[in-house]
């Protein structure tokens, strides 16, 4: 097992660097602690910052000052990291303009602080791997989320049932965003969670977000799962952030020729697939990493802007909220780091800067 020595961290006063011609002086407002942040600190993440380093890959800040060559940003704008490795656990910073993305400052600060990783990941895994046909969402809730894969395949009509998605780690930040984006799109979700003492409370919270079905990992192996598919079709898309037995059991409910996308591995166990799933059902296994997507689309600002605009519209409509959060002052960062690594965490730690 890998452990994190919180004692290695220090709060340190540093002089703010001089503002360059293409730089932006940012006052950070809030920054979450994500699993990837912990993995980077442990040295197990593909991106490792040279030491000493400032932690944090996500957050939102307010522009205080810009260099004279900066054209797209001005004081008062809100910005988020354009890529991983920015180092957001700080009160102020000076960054090159190209490392920042402008976001509207009329959305809640916690939504903006948690926008660049989990909701973007949820949007991309729903949009890029299967052409999901939306069902009939209530008119008051329906939002025309544009999924490029569906449009390319010519699947744009609503049907009474629509497609379904199954996911594990459904109470994670990505899982909560998947539930809400799918709900707004008329796509049904089957949400797998680990059994726990406060399960009824978790079920109530996920149902309030728009989850259609919630099952425990143990229930995946029971005959009662068939009852779900009397009302909705078997999923053509499975989303995995856990690994291990949970993934193998979830895969069994996937349609023939369906796709499972792995974007995390919280159980730190391999993905095991029966040979029969490949031979007789022709399932596809794919992987997704938001950082890699951003690198591949660095010159495709239309795709980035379209995704961010859709997510911000959902936030304004109240259809996409920040994950359950615990706000912690920066001075109490040690407690926040420790809390973020406890099992069955249902609340994301957010450093208020």
């Amino acid at each position: 097992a890998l452990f994190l020595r919180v004692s290695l961290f220090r709060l340190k006063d540093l002089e703010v660097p001089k503002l360059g011609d293409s730089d932006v002086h940012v006052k950070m407002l809030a920054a979450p602690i994500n699993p990837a942040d912990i993995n980077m600190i442990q040295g197990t993440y593909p991106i490792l910052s040279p030491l000493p380093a400032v932690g944090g890959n996500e957050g939102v800040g307010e522009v205080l000052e810009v260099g004279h060559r900066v054209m797209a940003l001005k004081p008062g704008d809100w910005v988020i990291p354009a890529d991983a490795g920015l180092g957001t656990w700080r009160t102020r910073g000076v960054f090159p303009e190209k490392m920042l993305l402008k976001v509207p400052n009329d959305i809640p600060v916690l939504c903006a602080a948690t926008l660049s990783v989990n909701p973007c990941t949820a949007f991309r895994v729903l949009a890029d791997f299967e052409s999901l046909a939306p069902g009939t969402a209530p008119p008051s809730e329906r939002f025309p989320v544009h999924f490029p894969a569906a449009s390319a395949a010519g699947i744009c009509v609503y049907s009474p049932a629509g497609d379904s998605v199954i996911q594990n780690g459904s109470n994670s930040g990505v899982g909560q965003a998947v539930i809400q984006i799918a709900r707004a799109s008329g796509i049904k979700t089957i949400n797998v969670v680990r059994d726990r003492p406060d399960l009824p409370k978790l079920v109530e919270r996920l149902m309030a977000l728009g989850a259609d079905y919630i099952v425990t990992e143990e229930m995946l192996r029971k005959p009662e799962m068939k009852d779900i598919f009397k009302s909705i079709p078997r999923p053509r898309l499975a989303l995995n952030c856990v690994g291990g037995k949970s993934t193998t059991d979830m895969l069994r409910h996937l349609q023939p020729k369906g796709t499972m996308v792995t974007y995390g591995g919280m159980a730190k166990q391999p993905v095991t697939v029966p040979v029969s799933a490949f031979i007789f059902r022709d399932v596809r296994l794919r992987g997704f990493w938001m950082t890699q997507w951003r690198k591949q689309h660095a010159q495709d600002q239309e795709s980035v802007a379209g995704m961010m605009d859709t997510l911000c519209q959902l936030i304004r409509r109240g259809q996409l909220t920040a994950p359950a959060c615990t706000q912690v002052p920066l001075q109490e960062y040690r407690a926040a780091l420790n809390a973020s690594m406890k099992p069955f965490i249902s609340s994301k730690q957010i450093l208020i800067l």
Side-chain angles (χ1 to χ4, degrees), residues 53-244:
V54 178
N57 291 292
E58 189 179 32
V60 63
E62 179 183 347
V63 174
L64 297 179
E65 186 181 3
V66 300
H68 75 271
R69 290 185 181 173
V70 175
M71 305 304 295
L73 296 171
K74 65 183 186 301
D77 286 343
W78 279 11
V79 290
I80 62 175
D83 206 345
L86 190 67
T88 55
W89 300 347
R90 66 174 89 206
T91 55
R92 296 194 182 192
V94 172
F95 311 107
E97 180 186 15
K98 65 181 180 181
M99 296 179 66
L100 302 169
L101 287 177
K102 181 180 176 180
V103 295
N105 56 12
D106 63 346
I107 61 176
V109 66
L110 293 184
C111 288
T114 56
L115 179 59
S116 64
V117 177
N118 293 334
C120 290
T121 297
F123 183 91
R124 295 263 60 100
V125 295
L126 286 171
D128 293 349
F129 295 93
E130 282 286 344
S131 301
L132 300 174
T136 306
S140 61
E141 298 179 1
R142 193 178 305 159
F143 181 81
V145 176
H146 174 62
F147 287 160
S151 298
I155 301 174
C156 304
V157 296
Y158 284 88
S159 62
D163 277 322
S164 69
V165 173
I166 188 169
Q167 65 166 343
N168 58 21
S170 303
N171 58 313
S172 67
V174 173
Q176 293 177 56
V178 164
I179 289 171
Q180 294 174 85
I181 296 171
R183 171 74 172 185
S185 311
I187 296 167
K188 303 295 185 182
T189 57
I190 304 164
N191 301 280
V192 185
V193 298
R194 289 184 295 174
D195 199 2
R196 63 193 67 209
D198 63 342
L199 183 61
K201 185 177 180 181
L202 176 61
V203 168
E204 181 181 359
R205 182 158 61 84
L206 296 184
M207 292 294 287
L209 291 178
D212 295 289
Y213 301 92
I214 301 172
V215 300
T216 63
E217 292 179 339
E218 291 74 20
M219 289 172 64
L220 281 174
R221 300 187 286 274
K222 294 185 177 179
E224 288 79 7
M225 281 296 295
K226 295 179 181 178
D227 294 337
I228 293 176
F229 304 121
K230 294 176 182 177
S231 303
I232 62 172
R234 287 183 177 271
R236 288 198 292 118
L237 180 66
L239 306 176
N240 167 48
C241 69
V242 177

Side-chain angles (χ1 to χ4, degrees), residues 222-277:
K222 294 185 177 179
E224 288 79 7
M225 281 296 295
K226 295 179 181 178
D227 294 337
I228 293 176
F229 304 121
K230 294 176 182 177
S231 303
I232 62 172
R234 287 183 177 271
R236 288 198 292 118
L237 180 66
L239 306 176
N240 167 48
C241 69
V242 177
K245 191 171 180 58
S246 163
T247 306
T248 306
D249 292 334
M250 186 171 65
L251 189 67
R252 291 193 171 99
H253 300 291
L254 202 60
Q255 278 190 32
K257 296 186 180 294
T259 302
M260 184 173 74
V261 181
T262 293
Y263 66 90
M266 291 189 293
K268 293 183 171 61
Q269 296 174 0
V271 172
T272 304
V273 181
V275 172
S276 60

Side-chain angles (χ1 to χ4, degrees), residues 10 25 46 64 78 114 133 145 264 270 279 316 330 332:
R10 297 286 188 276
H25 183 188
L64 297 179
W78 279 11
T114 56
V145 176
I279 297 175
R316 290 191 188 98
L330 179 61
E332 299 175 19

